[in-house]
PDB file of all heavy atoms in Angstrom:
ATOM      1  N   SER A  72      26.440  28.298  34.607  1.00  0.00           N
ATOM      2  CA  SER A  72      27.001  27.237  33.765  1.00  0.00           C
ATOM      3  C   SER A  72      28.432  26.891  34.193  1.00  0.00           C
ATOM      4  O   SER A  72      29.341  26.854  33.381  1.00  0.00           O
ATOM      5  CB  SER A  72      26.956  27.657  32.300  1.00  0.00           C
ATOM      6  OG  SER A  72      27.569  28.917  32.136  1.00  0.00           O
ATOM      7  N   ASN A  73      28.620  26.657  35.493  1.00  0.00           N
ATOM      8  CA  ASN A  73      29.916  26.275  36.069  1.00  0.00           C
ATOM      9  C   ASN A  73      31.004  27.312  35.864  1.00  0.00           C
ATOM     10  O   ASN A  73      32.188  26.976  35.892  1.00  0.00           O
ATOM     11  CB  ASN A  73      30.374  24.911  35.545  1.00  0.00           C
ATOM     12  CG  ASN A  73      29.546  23.787  36.109  1.00  0.00           C
ATOM     13  OD1 ASN A  73      29.033  23.894  37.220  1.00  0.00           O
ATOM     14  ND2 ASN A  73      29.390  22.726  35.348  1.00  0.00           N
ATOM     15  N   ASN A  74      30.640  28.560  35.633  1.00  0.00           N
ATOM     16  CA  ASN A  74      31.622  29.648  35.573  1.00  0.00           C
ATOM     17  C   ASN A  74      31.762  30.223  36.965  1.00  0.00           C
ATOM     18  O   ASN A  74      30.801  30.763  37.507  1.00  0.00           O
ATOM     19  CB  ASN A  74      31.154  30.758  34.613  1.00  0.00           C
ATOM     20  CG  ASN A  74      31.131  30.309  33.183  1.00  0.00           C
ATOM     21  OD1 ASN A  74      31.992  29.551  32.768  1.00  0.00           O
ATOM     22  ND2 ASN A  74      30.159  30.767  32.430  1.00  0.00           N
ATOM     23  N   HIS A  75      32.933  30.091  37.550  1.00  0.00           N
ATOM     24  CA  HIS A  75      33.189  30.674  38.864  1.00  0.00           C
ATOM     25  C   HIS A  75      34.119  31.863  38.677  1.00  0.00           C
ATOM     26  O   HIS A  75      35.251  31.701  38.241  1.00  0.00           O
ATOM     27  CB  HIS A  75      33.809  29.638  39.804  1.00  0.00           C
ATOM     28  CG  HIS A  75      32.842  28.584  40.202  1.00  0.00           C
ATOM     29  ND1 HIS A  75      32.189  28.602  41.403  1.00  0.00           N
ATOM     30  CD2 HIS A  75      32.384  27.493  39.547  1.00  0.00           C
ATOM     31  CE1 HIS A  75      31.381  27.557  41.485  1.00  0.00           C
ATOM     32  NE2 HIS A  75      31.480  26.868  40.357  1.00  0.00           N
ATOM     33  N   PHE A  76      33.611  33.050  38.972  1.00  0.00           N
ATOM     34  CA  PHE A  76      34.427  34.252  38.866  1.00  0.00           C
ATOM     35  C   PHE A  76      35.271  34.437  40.117  1.00  0.00           C
ATOM     36  O   PHE A  76      36.249  35.145  40.105  1.00  0.00           O
ATOM     37  CB  PHE A  76      33.541  35.486  38.635  1.00  0.00           C
ATOM     38  CG  PHE A  76      32.873  35.473  37.296  1.00  0.00           C
ATOM     39  CD1 PHE A  76      31.543  35.110  37.165  1.00  0.00           C
ATOM     40  CD2 PHE A  76      33.581  35.811  36.145  1.00  0.00           C
ATOM     41  CE1 PHE A  76      30.921  35.100  35.926  1.00  0.00           C
ATOM     42  CE2 PHE A  76      32.966  35.804  34.893  1.00  0.00           C
ATOM     43  CZ  PHE A  76      31.628  35.439  34.795  1.00  0.00           C
ATOM     44  N   GLY A  77      34.870  33.828  41.214  1.00  0.00           N
ATOM     45  CA  GLY A  77      35.629  33.918  42.459  1.00  0.00           C
ATOM     46  C   GLY A  77      35.210  35.099  43.301  1.00  0.00           C
ATOM     47  O   GLY A  77      34.104  35.624  43.178  1.00  0.00           O
ATOM     48  N   TYR A  78      36.136  35.520  44.172  1.00  0.00           N
ATOM     49  CA  TYR A  78      35.844  36.606  45.097  1.00  0.00           C
ATOM     50  C   TYR A  78      35.950  37.950  44.394  1.00  0.00           C
ATOM     51  O   TYR A  78      36.872  38.198  43.617  1.00  0.00           O
ATOM     52  CB  TYR A  78      36.805  36.572  46.283  1.00  0.00           C
ATOM     53  CG  TYR A  78      36.512  35.422  47.209  1.00  0.00           C
ATOM     54  CD1 TYR A  78      37.249  34.250  47.159  1.00  0.00           C
ATOM     55  CD2 TYR A  78      35.467  35.520  48.130  1.00  0.00           C
ATOM     56  CE1 TYR A  78      36.970  33.192  48.005  1.00  0.00           C
ATOM     57  CE2 TYR A  78      35.181  34.460  48.974  1.00  0.00           C
ATOM     58  CZ  TYR A  78      35.930  33.306  48.906  1.00  0.00           C
ATOM     59  OH  TYR A  78      35.635  32.261  49.737  1.00  0.00           O
ATOM     60  N   CYS A  79      34.974  38.819  44.703  1.00  0.00           N
ATOM     61  CA  CYS A  79      34.937  40.173  44.154  1.00  0.00           C
ATOM     62  C   CYS A  79      34.646  41.160  45.272  1.00  0.00           C
ATOM     63  O   CYS A  79      33.986  40.830  46.253  1.00  0.00           O
ATOM     64  CB  CYS A  79      33.828  40.304  43.101  1.00  0.00           C
ATOM     65  SG  CYS A  79      34.064  39.310  41.623  1.00  0.00           S
ATOM     66  N   ARG A  80      35.129  42.375  45.084  1.00  0.00           N
ATOM     67  CA  ARG A  80      34.834  43.476  46.005  1.00  0.00           C
ATOM     68  C   ARG A  80      33.774  44.356  45.355  1.00  0.00           C
ATOM     69  O   ARG A  80      33.882  44.707  44.180  1.00  0.00           O
ATOM     70  CB  ARG A  80      36.096  44.298  46.261  1.00  0.00           C
ATOM     71  CG  ARG A  80      35.866  45.513  47.165  1.00  0.00           C
ATOM     72  CD  ARG A  80      37.143  46.305  47.429  1.00  0.00           C
ATOM     73  NE  ARG A  80      38.068  45.502  48.202  1.00  0.00           N
ATOM     74  CZ  ARG A  80      39.226  45.001  47.748  1.00  0.00           C
ATOM     75  NH1 ARG A  80      39.603  45.225  46.510  1.00  0.00           N
ATOM     76  NH2 ARG A  80      40.005  44.297  48.521  1.00  0.00           N
ATOM     77  N   VAL A  81      32.744  44.705  46.120  1.00  0.00           N
ATOM     78  CA  VAL A  81      31.707  45.619  45.630  1.00  0.00           C
ATOM     79  C   VAL A  81      32.318  47.020  45.589  1.00  0.00           C
ATOM     80  O   VAL A  81      32.801  47.524  46.607  1.00  0.00           O
ATOM     81  CB  VAL A  81      30.455  45.595  46.542  1.00  0.00           C
ATOM     82  CG1 VAL A  81      29.421  46.595  46.055  1.00  0.00           C
ATOM     83  CG2 VAL A  81      29.873  44.185  46.618  1.00  0.00           C
ATOM     84  N   ILE A  82      32.312  47.644  44.414  1.00  0.00           N
ATOM     85  CA  ILE A  82      32.886  48.981  44.242  1.00  0.00           C
ATOM     86  C   ILE A  82      31.809  50.058  44.348  1.00  0.00           C
ATOM     87  O   ILE A  82      32.012  51.089  44.968  1.00  0.00           O
ATOM     88  CB  ILE A  82      33.619  49.089  42.881  1.00  0.00           C
ATOM     89  CG1 ILE A  82      34.718  48.041  42.783  1.00  0.00           C
ATOM     90  CG2 ILE A  82      34.175  50.487  42.651  1.00  0.00           C
ATOM     91  CD1 ILE A  82      35.791  48.141  43.862  1.00  0.00           C
ATOM     92  N   TRP A  83      30.679  49.828  43.729  1.00  0.00           N
ATOM     93  CA  TRP A  83      29.558  50.771  43.802  1.00  0.00           C
ATOM     94  C   TRP A  83      28.252  50.002  43.683  1.00  0.00           C
ATOM     95  O   TRP A  83      28.212  48.902  43.155  1.00  0.00           O
ATOM     96  CB  TRP A  83      29.656  51.857  42.722  1.00  0.00           C
ATOM     97  CG  TRP A  83      29.684  51.334  41.308  1.00  0.00           C
ATOM     98  CD1 TRP A  83      30.791  51.060  40.555  1.00  0.00           C
ATOM     99  CD2 TRP A  83      28.557  51.001  40.480  1.00  0.00           C
ATOM    100  NE1 TRP A  83      30.423  50.576  39.318  1.00  0.00           N
ATOM    101  CE2 TRP A  83      29.054  50.530  39.243  1.00  0.00           C
ATOM    102  CE3 TRP A  83      27.181  51.047  40.668  1.00  0.00           C
ATOM    103  CZ2 TRP A  83      28.221  50.124  38.203  1.00  0.00           C
ATOM    104  CZ3 TRP A  83      26.353  50.628  39.623  1.00  0.00           C
ATOM    105  CH2 TRP A  83      26.884  50.187  38.412  1.00  0.00           C
ATOM    106  N   VAL A  84      27.178  50.598  44.221  1.00  0.00           N
ATOM    107  CA  VAL A  84      25.838  49.997  44.183  1.00  0.00           C
ATOM    108  C   VAL A  84      24.838  51.104  43.895  1.00  0.00           C
ATOM    109  O   VAL A  84      24.963  52.211  44.414  1.00  0.00           O
ATOM    110  CB  VAL A  84      25.467  49.332  45.533  1.00  0.00           C
ATOM    111  CG1 VAL A  84      24.070  48.732  45.479  1.00  0.00           C
ATOM    112  CG2 VAL A  84      26.477  48.283  45.925  1.00  0.00           C
ATOM    113  N   GLU A  85      23.839  50.789  43.072  1.00  0.00           N
ATOM    114  CA  GLU A  85      22.793  51.760  42.762  1.00  0.00           C
ATOM    115  C   GLU A  85      21.473  51.040  42.555  1.00  0.00           C
ATOM    116  O   GLU A  85      21.411  50.021  41.876  1.00  0.00           O
ATOM    117  CB  GLU A  85      23.163  52.515  41.478  1.00  0.00           C
ATOM    118  CG  GLU A  85      22.119  53.494  41.033  1.00  0.00           C
ATOM    119  CD  GLU A  85      22.485  54.157  39.712  1.00  0.00           C
ATOM    120  OE1 GLU A  85      23.668  54.323  39.415  1.00  0.00           O
ATOM    121  OE2 GLU A  85      21.547  54.487  38.968  1.00  0.00           O
ATOM    122  N   ALA A  86      20.415  51.568  43.155  1.00  0.00           N
ATOM    123  CA  ALA A  86      19.047  51.109  42.910  1.00  0.00           C
ATOM    124  C   ALA A  86      18.282  52.327  42.389  1.00  0.00           C
ATOM    125  O   ALA A  86      18.332  53.389  43.007  1.00  0.00           O
ATOM    126  CB  ALA A  86      18.412  50.566  44.168  1.00  0.00           C
ATOM    127  N   LYS A  87      17.613  52.170  41.263  1.00  0.00           N
ATOM    128  CA  LYS A  87      16.908  53.312  40.657  1.00  0.00           C
ATOM    129  C   LYS A  87      15.809  53.851  41.567  1.00  0.00           C
ATOM    130  O   LYS A  87      15.621  55.044  41.678  1.00  0.00           O
ATOM    131  CB  LYS A  87      16.317  52.920  39.300  1.00  0.00           C
ATOM    132  CG  LYS A  87      17.359  52.533  38.278  1.00  0.00           C
ATOM    133  CD  LYS A  87      18.169  53.715  37.848  1.00  0.00           C
ATOM    134  CE  LYS A  87      19.170  53.311  36.777  1.00  0.00           C
ATOM    135  NZ  LYS A  87      20.166  54.309  36.526  1.00  0.00           N
ATOM    136  N   THR A  88      15.073  52.935  42.198  1.00  0.00           N
ATOM    137  CA  THR A  88      14.033  53.331  43.141  1.00  0.00           C
ATOM    138  C   THR A  88      14.056  52.350  44.309  1.00  0.00           C
ATOM    139  O   THR A  88      14.585  51.237  44.189  1.00  0.00           O
ATOM    140  CB  THR A  88      12.627  53.296  42.499  1.00  0.00           C
ATOM    141  OG1 THR A  88      12.359  51.966  42.045  1.00  0.00           O
ATOM    142  CG2 THR A  88      12.520  54.262  41.339  1.00  0.00           C
ATOM    143  N   VAL A  89      13.473  52.739  45.410  1.00  0.00           N
ATOM    144  CA  VAL A  89      13.374  51.847  46.560  1.00  0.00           C
ATOM    145  C   VAL A  89      12.561  50.623  46.149  1.00  0.00           C
ATOM    146  O   VAL A  89      11.519  50.743  45.508  1.00  0.00           O
ATOM    147  CB  VAL A  89      12.705  52.569  47.751  1.00  0.00           C
ATOM    148  CG1 VAL A  89      12.478  51.608  48.906  1.00  0.00           C
ATOM    149  CG2 VAL A  89      13.554  53.741  48.199  1.00  0.00           C
ATOM    150  N   GLY A  90      13.050  49.441  46.466  1.00  0.00           N
ATOM    151  CA  GLY A  90      12.341  48.219  46.128  1.00  0.00           C
ATOM    152  C   GLY A  90      12.585  47.721  44.713  1.00  0.00           C
ATOM    153  O   GLY A  90      11.905  46.807  44.258  1.00  0.00           O
ATOM    154  N   SER A  91      13.555  48.322  44.012  1.00  0.00           N
ATOM    155  CA  SER A  91      13.873  47.841  42.666  1.00  0.00           C
ATOM    156  C   SER A  91      15.173  47.038  42.696  1.00  0.00           C
ATOM    157  O   SER A  91      15.945  47.142  43.645  1.00  0.00           O
ATOM    158  CB  SER A  91      14.003  49.018  41.691  1.00  0.00           C
ATOM    159  OG  SER A  91      15.144  49.788  41.988  1.00  0.00           O
ATOM    160  N   PRO A  92      15.420  46.226  41.664  1.00  0.00           N
ATOM    161  CA  PRO A  92      16.694  45.507  41.607  1.00  0.00           C
ATOM    162  C   PRO A  92      17.869  46.481  41.648  1.00  0.00           C
ATOM    163  O   PRO A  92      17.743  47.637  41.228  1.00  0.00           O
ATOM    164  CB  PRO A  92      16.634  44.770  40.268  1.00  0.00           C
ATOM    165  CG  PRO A  92      15.171  44.609  40.007  1.00  0.00           C
ATOM    166  CD  PRO A  92      14.549  45.869  40.550  1.00  0.00           C
ATOM    167  N   SER A  93      18.991  46.020  42.158  1.00  0.00           N
ATOM    168  CA  SER A  93      20.197  46.859  42.267  1.00  0.00           C
ATOM    169  C   SER A  93      21.161  46.563  41.137  1.00  0.00           C
ATOM    170  O   SER A  93      21.246  45.442  40.654  1.00  0.00           O
ATOM    171  CB  SER A  93      20.911  46.585  43.593  1.00  0.00           C
ATOM    172  OG  SER A  93      20.104  46.927  44.677  1.00  0.00           O
ATOM    173  N   GLN A  94      21.897  47.566  40.757  1.00  0.00           N
ATOM    174  CA  GLN A  94      23.029  47.391  39.857  1.00  0.00           C
ATOM    175  C   GLN A  94      24.278  47.633  40.690  1.00  0.00           C
ATOM    176  O   GLN A  94      24.248  48.402  41.662  1.00  0.00           O
ATOM    177  CB  GLN A  94      22.974  48.377  38.695  1.00  0.00           C
ATOM    178  CG  GLN A  94      21.908  48.027  37.695  1.00  0.00           C
ATOM    179  CD  GLN A  94      21.952  48.898  36.457  1.00  0.00           C
ATOM    180  OE1 GLN A  94      20.924  49.291  35.985  1.00  0.00           O
ATOM    181  NE2 GLN A  94      23.117  49.199  35.940  1.00  0.00           N
ATOM    182  N   ALA A  95      25.367  46.964  40.335  1.00  0.00           N
ATOM    183  CA  ALA A  95      26.599  47.118  41.097  1.00  0.00           C
ATOM    184  C   ALA A  95      27.800  46.878  40.199  1.00  0.00           C
ATOM    185  O   ALA A  95      27.709  46.190  39.185  1.00  0.00           O
ATOM    186  CB  ALA A  95      26.627  46.146  42.272  1.00  0.00           C
ATOM    187  N   GLY A  96      28.910  47.467  40.586  1.00  0.00           N
ATOM    188  CA  GLY A  96      30.192  47.211  39.954  1.00  0.00           C
ATOM    189  C   GLY A  96      31.020  46.367  40.897  1.00  0.00           C
ATOM    190  O   GLY A  96      31.155  46.703  42.075  1.00  0.00           O
ATOM    191  N   LEU A  97      31.525  45.239  40.402  1.00  0.00           N
ATOM    192  CA  LEU A  97      32.327  44.326  41.212  1.00  0.00           C
ATOM    193  C   LEU A  97      33.727  44.234  40.626  1.00  0.00           C
ATOM    194  O   LEU A  97      33.906  44.141  39.407  1.00  0.00           O
ATOM    195  CB  LEU A  97      31.704  42.928  41.226  1.00  0.00           C
ATOM    196  CG  LEU A  97      30.233  42.812  41.611  1.00  0.00           C
ATOM    197  CD1 LEU A  97      29.793  41.344  41.553  1.00  0.00           C
ATOM    198  CD2 LEU A  97      29.982  43.386  42.982  1.00  0.00           C
ATOM    199  N   GLU A  98      34.742  44.243  41.497  1.00  0.00           N
ATOM    200  CA  GLU A  98      36.134  44.132  41.072  1.00  0.00           C
ATOM    201  C   GLU A  98      36.679  42.762  41.465  1.00  0.00           C
ATOM    202  O   GLU A  98      36.524  42.355  42.613  1.00  0.00           O
ATOM    203  CB  GLU A  98      36.953  45.223  41.749  1.00  0.00           C
ATOM    204  CG  GLU A  98      38.423  45.180  41.424  1.00  0.00           C
ATOM    205  CD  GLU A  98      39.186  46.270  42.154  1.00  0.00           C
ATOM    206  OE1 GLU A  98      38.979  46.442  43.372  1.00  0.00           O
ATOM    207  OE2 GLU A  98      39.995  46.940  41.504  1.00  0.00           O
ATOM    208  N   PHE A  99      37.302  42.070  40.501  1.00  0.00           N
ATOM    209  CA  PHE A  99      37.893  40.755  40.798  1.00  0.00           C
ATOM    210  C   PHE A  99      38.988  40.914  41.839  1.00  0.00           C
ATOM    211  O   PHE A  99      39.794  41.842  41.771  1.00  0.00           O
ATOM    212  CB  PHE A  99      38.502  40.120  39.536  1.00  0.00           C
ATOM    213  CG  PHE A  99      37.512  39.818  38.453  1.00  0.00           C
ATOM    214  CD1 PHE A  99      37.769  40.195  37.149  1.00  0.00           C
ATOM    215  CD2 PHE A  99      36.334  39.144  38.713  1.00  0.00           C
ATOM    216  CE1 PHE A  99      36.884  39.908  36.126  1.00  0.00           C
ATOM    217  CE2 PHE A  99      35.428  38.851  37.705  1.00  0.00           C
ATOM    218  CZ  PHE A  99      35.710  39.234  36.413  1.00  0.00           C
TER     219      PHE A  99
END
Side-chain angles (χ1 to χ4, degrees):
S72 53
N73 289 331
N74 293 323
H75 290 260
F76 292 102
Y78 288 100
C79 295
R80 177 179 294 111
V81 177
I82 302 300
W83 59 266
V84 179
E85 177 184 330
K87 297 291 182 193
T88 60
V89 175
S91 68
S93 297
Q94 287 187 221
L97 308 179
E98 178 181 47
F99 297 132

